[in-house]
Each structure stands twice: as structure tokens, then as C-alpha cells.
Amino acid sequence: MTCDHPVPPNRYDERVEEHLRSTGFYHVSQIGVVQCQKALVNALVERWHPDTHTFHLSVGECAVSLEEVAMIFGLPTEGLPVTGMALSSFEALEAECTILFGDKSGASVHWKYLPLLSDFASIRQYSWGSACLAHLYRSLCRASRFDCKEIDGPLTLLLCWAWMRLPYLAPVPREPRSFSLANRWRNWERGDRVYRYHKLAHFWKALDELQEGQFLWVAYSGDRVDPDIIPAKIYMHSLIWSATVPLWTNRYNHVLTDETMMPQQPLDTYMYWYRSKYGDHLNLSDLAVQ
């Protein structure tokens, strides 16, 4: 297609921002390109245990949480489950999404979500953050199988989680005061070109030698993240970030109420299990060719 008149370089439209804010997708829509560090992703997959849905490290178990989804992506974590009937036929999908996409723009939305996105007035009622987290967990479990050679899913969430929790493994942040927090590493490769060439053996060794204090159990405290850059709406439903039941069953009455504990040594029971399974360390770096 051609255009007979010049197109202004800034196509910002306030009406679009209004719709994005009303649906809860505004912050995630503002995330720039975050280059994937495939070697780090592979190292994390090797530490993932599908039975416990946690990463197993020498300092303890850990996992991506709803707090991460809210802080890193800015997605809503309260609401109805993202579920329902999926459309399978092309004709049905074409009819369903006409209201959303009038052309073949190539928007990266999986077809199965389109029925829930067709009505703008109802989009905000769903917990998209929970769906995003479930997608990541499912992708990690699939990728941890011996016969799987690749991983899909929200890898930006996984990488930014690792960089927040393990800052000594992170590239230099380019925009440390940005929200959502994923934008800290927007286009990081432009300022830290060496990092992109780190191999799997580098991350094997780093995780093998992980010491208590290098993993930040409290990664979003005031001394780590400027509270002034976090929109108040992000904290509105923070109570359910520590829910101990499925998010659709009386969740507000089943949350952890104890104050956040400072980092401490892993439980003896965990370390007994860890050593019996892996030895003192996973020592994956021993497999690397010297």
C-alpha cells in the first residue's frame, strides 16, 4: 500500500492509550525490545523441577511469582481466570477478531485469546498476570523434558526475574528508573555487547558457585526499586501475591500474613534432599570443555 501524503513520525494517539489503560495492558504495551540471553535461559531450565515448579539452587528453592508479573510487566493479577472455549475454525476466528484487527497486521496475540479480547469493556475483569505466569510455568515444564529442544512463552519475564534476583548475572541496565521494570533492560545489548556472548558454561559456573547473599530474596524493597516509579494501582491487589490457594477459591482469606523474612540459610531438609540428588552442587560447569 502507498500513501500520497507524508506520515508524521509521531503517531501517538491518546485514544489508544485510553483503551490500553482501561484494559490493563498499558504498561506491558510500553515495554521495548529486551534481547534474549539464550544461554541464561537454558541454564535456568536445567535448574527447573516440574514436580515442585521451582528452580533448585544451592541456596534454596525459588520461583517466579505474581509479584514479578506485576512489577516486571505491570499486568493485572486480580480477576477472573483466563479460560473458556477456544475457537478452532479459521472462519469463526476471522468473524470473531474483525472488530480487533481490520487488516493483516501480524499482531502477536495467540488466537485462543481473541474471544476474550473482542469486548473491550470486559477485558479488565480477567487476571492476565496469572495467565502469563501459568504460561511461563507450563513452558518451563515442557522445556525441562529431555526430548524438548526449545522453549516458548514469556521469556522476557523469566530473564528479568533472573536479573532482579541475581543482579550479578545481569547486563548493565540502560533505564534503571523505568516502569514496568522490564524496561530497565530495554535494548541492553547496545550498552553491554560482551554480555550477549556469554556461553552456557559461564552461567553453569556462576550458578554452581552461587553464595548466600547473591540471590535477592527481597528484590523489590525500597533500596532496590525506587517506590516513586511504581504506580499505586500495581499494589492494589498485592495481598493475593502471597495467596496459598488457587486464585479462584476464596483467595483473600488464604494469604501469608507473616512479615517478610530476611535472607537466611536454606532449610536442613532442603539441603539434605539437594545433596542426595545433586551432591554439594549441581556442578554442571564440570561438563564444560575446558
Side-chain angles (χ1 to χ4, degrees):
M1 296 180 66
T2 61
C3 182
D4 295 331
H5 56 84
V7 178
N10 182 6
R11 303 186 188 183
Y12 176 79
D13 190 326
E14 292 184 353
R15 293 171 298 177
V16 174
E17 178 179 335
E18 180 182 347
H19 285 305
L20 287 171
R21 290 189 182 277
S22 67
T23 58
F25 292 155
Y26 174 75
H27 294 299
V28 73
S29 73
Q30 300 304 298
I31 297 175
V33 177
V34 179
Q35 181 77 20
C36 183
Q37 219 307 345
K38 295 181 180 178
L40 177 55
V41 170
N42 288 337
L44 291 171
V45 168
E46 290 170 339
R47 299 274 178 161
W48 179 260
H49 201 295
D51 292 337
T52 59
H53 294 101
T54 56
F55 297 104
H56 289 167
L57 304 174
S58 59
V59 297
E61 295 179 80
C62 53
V64 186
S65 68
L66 281 177
E67 180 180 20
E68 259 86 30
V69 181
M71 291 292 189
I72 293 172
F73 276 177
L75 283 172
T77 54
E78 164 67 331
L80 298 174
V82 178
T83 185
M85 297 294 293
L87 300 178
S88 57
S89 72
F90 177 80
E91 292 77 13
L93 285 165
E94 187 176 41
E96 186 72 24
C97 68
T98 299
I99 187 173
L100 285 176
F101 307 113
D103 59 8
K104 297 180 180 180
S105 60
S108 55
V109 177
H110 195 288
W111 284 11
K112 65 184 178 183
Y113 296 120
L114 290 177
L116 300 180
L117 298 174
S118 61
D119 181 6
F120 266 79
S122 63
I123 291 176
R124 187 58 186 253
Q125 68 180 318
Y126 295 100
S127 177
W128 296 102
S130 303
C132 177
L133 187 61
H135 188 183
L136 176 62
Y137 275 36
R138 187 162 52 248
S139 297
L140 285 167
C141 289
R142 186 183 300 115
S144 66
R145 300 195 310 237
F146 74 93
D147 58 343
C148 184
K149 303 300 182 183
E150 58 185 22
I151 182 173
D152 63 356
L155 298 186
T156 294
L157 174 62
L158 176 61
L159 282 170
C160 291
W161 169 84
W163 293 338
M164 288 297 301
R165 298 287 179 172
L166 297 159
Y168 78 105
L169 292 182
V172 177
R174 290 178 58 83
E175 300 182 34
R177 287 189 53 81
S178 292
F179 188 84
S180 63
L181 297 186
N183 274 329
R184 284 187 168 196
W185 291 282
R186 176 168 48 190
N187 299 318
W188 60 262
E189 71 282 1
R190 296 180 183 177
D192 196 344
R193 293 183 179 273
V194 175
Y195 185 85
R196 67 189 302 179
Y197 296 109
H198 285 334
K199 303 298 184 183
L200 182 57
H202 171 85
F203 295 107
W204 276 348
K205 188 173 189 297
L207 293 176
D208 283 347
E209 298 175 353
L210 178 63
Q211 301 294 315
E212 188 63 53
Q214 290 182 305
F215 187 93
L216 300 183
W217 298 102
V218 185
Y220 305 98
S221 56
D223 61 333
R224 295 286 308 162
V225 177
D226 185 347
D228 293 336
I229 70 171
I230 309 297
K233 284 187 176 181
I234 296 299
Y235 292 107
M236 282 182 58
H237 305 291
S238 59
L239 191 63
I240 64 169
W241 295 349
S242 59
T244 59
V245 295
L247 294 182
W248 330 122
T249 55
N250 204 18
R251 52 195 176 275
Y252 279 100
N253 291 331
H254 297 276
V255 296
L256 297 176
T257 57
D258 294 338
E259 294 184 2
T260 302
M261 298 178 65
M262 296 301 291
Q264 56 183 339
Q265 294 296 321
L267 294 175
D268 290 341
T269 52
Y270 171 78
M271 291 310 301
Y272 176 81
W273 171 87
Y274 185 91
R275 291 190 179 105
S276 66
K277 187 172 181 65
Y278 299 118
D280 286 340
H281 298 281
L282 273 173
N283 286 331
L284 288 172
S285 56
D286 291 345
L287 302 177
V289 176
Q290 301 298 326

PDB file of all heavy atoms in Angstrom, residues 117-137:
ATOM      1  N   LEU A 117     -10.797 -10.976  24.062  1.00  0.00           N
ATOM      2  CA  LEU A 117     -10.337  -9.617  23.770  1.00  0.00           C
ATOM      3  C   LEU A 117     -11.307  -8.833  22.896  1.00  0.00           C
ATOM      4  O   LEU A 117     -11.112  -7.638  22.674  1.00  0.00           O
ATOM      5  CB  LEU A 117      -8.975  -9.670  23.062  1.00  0.00           C
ATOM      6  CG  LEU A 117      -7.820 -10.283  23.844  1.00  0.00           C
ATOM      7  CD1 LEU A 117      -6.592 -10.402  22.954  1.00  0.00           C
ATOM      8  CD2 LEU A 117      -7.492  -9.441  25.071  1.00  0.00           C
ATOM      9  N   SER A 118     -12.344  -9.485  22.400  1.00  0.00           N
ATOM     10  CA  SER A 118     -13.241  -8.831  21.450  1.00  0.00           C
ATOM     11  C   SER A 118     -14.099  -7.761  22.100  1.00  0.00           C
ATOM     12  O   SER A 118     -14.516  -6.815  21.439  1.00  0.00           O
ATOM     13  CB  SER A 118     -14.128  -9.867  20.759  1.00  0.00           C
ATOM     14  OG  SER A 118     -14.919 -10.544  21.723  1.00  0.00           O
ATOM     15  N   ASP A 119     -14.373  -7.895  23.393  1.00  0.00           N
ATOM     16  CA  ASP A 119     -15.194  -6.921  24.110  1.00  0.00           C
ATOM     17  C   ASP A 119     -14.294  -6.096  25.027  1.00  0.00           C
ATOM     18  O   ASP A 119     -13.897  -6.551  26.100  1.00  0.00           O
ATOM     19  CB  ASP A 119     -16.271  -7.636  24.918  1.00  0.00           C
ATOM     20  CG  ASP A 119     -17.174  -6.656  25.675  1.00  0.00           C
ATOM     21  OD1 ASP A 119     -17.021  -5.430  25.481  1.00  0.00           O
ATOM     22  OD2 ASP A 119     -18.014  -7.121  26.458  1.00  0.00           O
ATOM     23  N   PHE A 120     -13.942  -4.866  24.622  1.00  0.00           N
ATOM     24  CA  PHE A 120     -13.022  -4.051  25.393  1.00  0.00           C
ATOM     25  C   PHE A 120     -13.528  -3.782  26.800  1.00  0.00           C
ATOM     26  O   PHE A 120     -12.740  -3.662  27.740  1.00  0.00           O
ATOM     27  CB  PHE A 120     -12.764  -2.722  24.670  1.00  0.00           C
ATOM     28  CG  PHE A 120     -11.552  -2.749  23.797  1.00  0.00           C
ATOM     29  CD1 PHE A 120     -11.603  -3.339  22.540  1.00  0.00           C
ATOM     30  CD2 PHE A 120     -10.365  -2.202  24.222  1.00  0.00           C
ATOM     31  CE1 PHE A 120     -10.486  -3.383  21.731  1.00  0.00           C
ATOM     32  CE2 PHE A 120      -9.238  -2.238  23.419  1.00  0.00           C
ATOM     33  CZ  PHE A 120      -9.300  -2.826  22.156  1.00  0.00           C
ATOM     34  N   ALA A 121     -14.832  -3.702  26.954  1.00  0.00           N
ATOM     35  CA  ALA A 121     -15.386  -3.360  28.267  1.00  0.00           C
ATOM     36  C   ALA A 121     -15.143  -4.458  29.293  1.00  0.00           C
ATOM     37  O   ALA A 121     -15.144  -4.193  30.497  1.00  0.00           O
ATOM     38  CB  ALA A 121     -16.884  -3.093  28.138  1.00  0.00           C
ATOM     39  N   SER A 122     -14.912  -5.700  28.851  1.00  0.00           N
ATOM     40  CA  SER A 122     -14.774  -6.806  29.797  1.00  0.00           C
ATOM     41  C   SER A 122     -13.342  -7.305  29.951  1.00  0.00           C
ATOM     42  O   SER A 122     -13.084  -8.178  30.777  1.00  0.00           O
ATOM     43  CB  SER A 122     -15.668  -7.978  29.363  1.00  0.00           C
ATOM     44  OG  SER A 122     -15.255  -8.472  28.104  1.00  0.00           O
ATOM     45  N   ILE A 123     -12.416  -6.762  29.164  1.00  0.00           N
ATOM     46  CA  ILE A 123     -11.045  -7.272  29.200  1.00  0.00           C
ATOM     47  C   ILE A 123     -10.437  -7.143  30.585  1.00  0.00           C
ATOM     48  O   ILE A 123      -9.756  -8.045  31.081  1.00  0.00           O
ATOM     49  CB  ILE A 123     -10.173  -6.537  28.158  1.00  0.00           C
ATOM     50  CG1 ILE A 123     -10.609  -6.928  26.743  1.00  0.00           C
ATOM     51  CG2 ILE A 123      -8.691  -6.858  28.360  1.00  0.00           C
ATOM     52  CD1 ILE A 123      -9.879  -6.182  25.645  1.00  0.00           C
ATOM     53  N   ARG A 124     -10.681  -6.027  31.261  1.00  0.00           N
ATOM     54  CA  ARG A 124     -10.032  -5.749  32.545  1.00  0.00           C
ATOM     55  C   ARG A 124     -10.473  -6.716  33.647  1.00  0.00           C
ATOM     56  O   ARG A 124      -9.785  -6.833  34.666  1.00  0.00           O
ATOM     57  CB  ARG A 124     -10.334  -4.300  32.977  1.00  0.00           C
ATOM     58  CG  ARG A 124      -9.577  -3.823  34.217  1.00  0.00           C
ATOM     59  CD  ARG A 124      -8.075  -3.942  33.992  1.00  0.00           C
ATOM     60  NE  ARG A 124      -7.324  -3.627  35.191  1.00  0.00           N
ATOM     61  CZ  ARG A 124      -6.625  -2.519  35.368  1.00  0.00           C
ATOM     62  NH1 ARG A 124      -6.574  -1.601  34.410  1.00  0.00           N
ATOM     63  NH2 ARG A 124      -5.954  -2.317  36.471  1.00  0.00           N
ATOM     64  N   GLN A 125     -11.562  -7.423  33.469  1.00  0.00           N
ATOM     65  CA  GLN A 125     -12.059  -8.277  34.548  1.00  0.00           C
ATOM     66  C   GLN A 125     -11.266  -9.580  34.671  1.00  0.00           C
ATOM     67  O   GLN A 125     -11.457 -10.333  35.626  1.00  0.00           O
ATOM     68  CB  GLN A 125     -13.532  -8.602  34.332  1.00  0.00           C
ATOM     69  CG  GLN A 125     -13.806  -9.505  33.127  1.00  0.00           C
ATOM     70  CD  GLN A 125     -15.267  -9.812  32.954  1.00  0.00           C
ATOM     71  OE1 GLN A 125     -15.971 -10.084  33.927  1.00  0.00           O
ATOM     72  NE2 GLN A 125     -15.753  -9.745  31.719  1.00  0.00           N
ATOM     73  N   TYR A 126     -10.343  -9.840  33.740  1.00  0.00           N
ATOM     74  CA  TYR A 126      -9.562 -11.080  33.780  1.00  0.00           C
ATOM     75  C   TYR A 126      -8.190 -10.857  34.412  1.00  0.00           C
ATOM     76  O   TYR A 126      -7.617  -9.773  34.320  1.00  0.00           O
ATOM     77  CB  TYR A 126      -9.382 -11.645  32.366  1.00  0.00           C
ATOM     78  CG  TYR A 126     -10.674 -12.086  31.729  1.00  0.00           C
ATOM     79  CD1 TYR A 126     -11.324 -11.267  30.813  1.00  0.00           C
ATOM     80  CD2 TYR A 126     -11.247 -13.303  32.058  1.00  0.00           C
ATOM     81  CE1 TYR A 126     -12.518 -11.657  30.229  1.00  0.00           C
ATOM     82  CE2 TYR A 126     -12.436 -13.705  31.485  1.00  0.00           C
ATOM     83  CZ  TYR A 126     -13.074 -12.878  30.568  1.00  0.00           C
ATOM     84  OH  TYR A 126     -14.261 -13.277  30.002  1.00  0.00           O
ATOM     85  N   SER A 127      -7.687 -11.915  35.036  1.00  0.00           N
ATOM     86  CA  SER A 127      -6.355 -11.863  35.643  1.00  0.00           C
ATOM     87  C   SER A 127      -5.324 -12.283  34.595  1.00  0.00           C
ATOM     88  O   SER A 127      -4.878 -13.428  34.549  1.00  0.00           O
ATOM     89  CB  SER A 127      -6.278 -12.790  36.865  1.00  0.00           C
ATOM     90  OG  SER A 127      -4.976 -12.798  37.401  1.00  0.00           O
ATOM     91  N   TRP A 128      -4.924 -11.342  33.753  1.00  0.00           N
ATOM     92  CA  TRP A 128      -3.970 -11.639  32.688  1.00  0.00           C
ATOM     93  C   TRP A 128      -2.594 -11.961  33.249  1.00  0.00           C
ATOM     94  O   TRP A 128      -1.829 -12.721  32.657  1.00  0.00           O
ATOM     95  CB  TRP A 128      -3.911 -10.462  31.717  1.00  0.00           C
ATOM     96  CG  TRP A 128      -5.204 -10.246  31.008  1.00  0.00           C
ATOM     97  CD1 TRP A 128      -6.141  -9.297  31.281  1.00  0.00           C
ATOM     98  CD2 TRP A 128      -5.730 -11.024  29.927  1.00  0.00           C
ATOM     99  NE1 TRP A 128      -7.223  -9.425  30.439  1.00  0.00           N
ATOM    100  CE2 TRP A 128      -6.995 -10.472  29.593  1.00  0.00           C
ATOM    101  CE3 TRP A 128      -5.261 -12.121  29.212  1.00  0.00           C
ATOM    102  CZ2 TRP A 128      -7.785 -10.995  28.569  1.00  0.00           C
ATOM    103  CZ3 TRP A 128      -6.037 -12.638  28.192  1.00  0.00           C
ATOM    104  CH2 TRP A 128      -7.288 -12.081  27.883  1.00  0.00           C
ATOM    105  N   GLY A 129      -2.273 -11.374  34.404  1.00  0.00           N
ATOM    106  CA  GLY A 129      -0.994 -11.685  35.028  1.00  0.00           C
ATOM    107  C   GLY A 129      -0.896 -13.142  35.427  1.00  0.00           C
ATOM    108  O   GLY A 129       0.150 -13.784  35.259  1.00  0.00           O
ATOM    109  N   SER A 130      -1.983 -13.695  35.946  1.00  0.00           N
ATOM    110  CA  SER A 130      -1.996 -15.112  36.316  1.00  0.00           C
ATOM    111  C   SER A 130      -1.857 -16.001  35.094  1.00  0.00           C
ATOM    112  O   SER A 130      -1.155 -17.024  35.125  1.00  0.00           O
ATOM    113  CB  SER A 130      -3.303 -15.452  37.052  1.00  0.00           C
ATOM    114  OG  SER A 130      -3.469 -14.632  38.184  1.00  0.00           O
ATOM    115  N   ALA A 131      -2.511 -15.616  34.005  1.00  0.00           N
ATOM    116  CA  ALA A 131      -2.404 -16.392  32.769  1.00  0.00           C
ATOM    117  C   ALA A 131      -0.979 -16.363  32.235  1.00  0.00           C
ATOM    118  O   ALA A 131      -0.448 -17.378  31.766  1.00  0.00           O
ATOM    119  CB  ALA A 131      -3.371 -15.842  31.717  1.00  0.00           C
ATOM    120  N   CYS A 132      -0.347 -15.202  32.328  1.00  0.00           N
ATOM    121  CA  CYS A 132       1.038 -15.066  31.875  1.00  0.00           C
ATOM    122  C   CYS A 132       1.962 -15.956  32.707  1.00  0.00           C
ATOM    123  O   CYS A 132       2.828 -16.652  32.158  1.00  0.00           O
ATOM    124  CB  CYS A 132       1.465 -13.603  31.988  1.00  0.00           C
ATOM    125  SG  CYS A 132       3.173 -13.287  31.533  1.00  0.00           S
ATOM    126  N   LEU A 133       1.767 -15.960  34.020  1.00  0.00           N
ATOM    127  CA  LEU A 133       2.609 -16.775  34.894  1.00  0.00           C
ATOM    128  C   LEU A 133       2.382 -18.265  34.632  1.00  0.00           C
ATOM    129  O   LEU A 133       3.338 -19.053  34.593  1.00  0.00           O
ATOM    130  CB  LEU A 133       2.314 -16.441  36.355  1.00  0.00           C
ATOM    131  CG  LEU A 133       3.218 -17.094  37.396  1.00  0.00           C
ATOM    132  CD1 LEU A 133       4.665 -16.671  37.193  1.00  0.00           C
ATOM    133  CD2 LEU A 133       2.757 -16.742  38.813  1.00  0.00           C
ATOM    134  N   ALA A 134       1.127 -18.656  34.459  1.00  0.00           N
ATOM    135  CA  ALA A 134       0.826 -20.060  34.169  1.00  0.00           C
ATOM    136  C   ALA A 134       1.466 -20.491  32.852  1.00  0.00           C
ATOM    137  O   ALA A 134       1.979 -21.613  32.733  1.00  0.00           O
ATOM    138  CB  ALA A 134      -0.686 -20.268  34.113  1.00  0.00           C
ATOM    139  N   HIS A 135       1.457 -19.594  31.882  1.00  0.00           N
ATOM    140  CA  HIS A 135       2.087 -19.889  30.590  1.00  0.00           C
ATOM    141  C   HIS A 135       3.584 -20.124  30.770  1.00  0.00           C
ATOM    142  O   HIS A 135       4.153 -21.058  30.187  1.00  0.00           O
ATOM    143  CB  HIS A 135       1.847 -18.734  29.621  1.00  0.00           C
ATOM    144  CG  HIS A 135       2.280 -19.013  28.214  1.00  0.00           C
ATOM    145  ND1 HIS A 135       2.208 -18.073  27.213  1.00  0.00           N
ATOM    146  CD2 HIS A 135       2.825 -20.118  27.644  1.00  0.00           C
ATOM    147  CE1 HIS A 135       2.667 -18.594  26.090  1.00  0.00           C
ATOM    148  NE2 HIS A 135       3.046 -19.828  26.321  1.00  0.00           N
ATOM    149  N   LEU A 136       4.235 -19.293  31.582  1.00  0.00           N
ATOM    150  CA  LEU A 136       5.669 -19.461  31.823  1.00  0.00           C
ATOM    151  C   LEU A 136       5.946 -20.786  32.510  1.00  0.00           C
ATOM    152  O   LEU A 136       6.867 -21.523  32.119  1.00  0.00           O
ATOM    153  CB  LEU A 136       6.201 -18.305  32.663  1.00  0.00           C
ATOM    154  CG  LEU A 136       7.685 -18.409  33.059  1.00  0.00           C
ATOM    155  CD1 LEU A 136       8.575 -18.425  31.820  1.00  0.00           C
ATOM    156  CD2 LEU A 136       8.079 -17.267  33.987  1.00  0.00           C
ATOM    157  N   TYR A 137       5.168 -21.117  33.537  1.00  0.00           N
ATOM    158  CA  TYR A 137       5.371 -22.388  34.241  1.00  0.00           C
ATOM    159  C   TYR A 137       5.208 -23.567  33.290  1.00  0.00           C
ATOM    160  O   TYR A 137       5.992 -24.516  33.306  1.00  0.00           O
ATOM    161  CB  TYR A 137       4.366 -22.507  35.393  1.00  0.00           C
ATOM    162  CG  TYR A 137       4.796 -21.845  36.672  1.00  0.00           C
ATOM    163  CD1 TYR A 137       5.508 -20.653  36.666  1.00  0.00           C
ATOM    164  CD2 TYR A 137       4.479 -22.398  37.908  1.00  0.00           C
ATOM    165  CE1 TYR A 137       5.895 -20.044  37.840  1.00  0.00           C
ATOM    166  CE2 TYR A 137       4.864 -21.789  39.093  1.00  0.00           C
ATOM    167  CZ  TYR A 137       5.565 -20.614  39.052  1.00  0.00           C
ATOM    168  OH  TYR A 137       5.959 -20.007  40.219  1.00  0.00           O
TER     169      TYR A 137
END
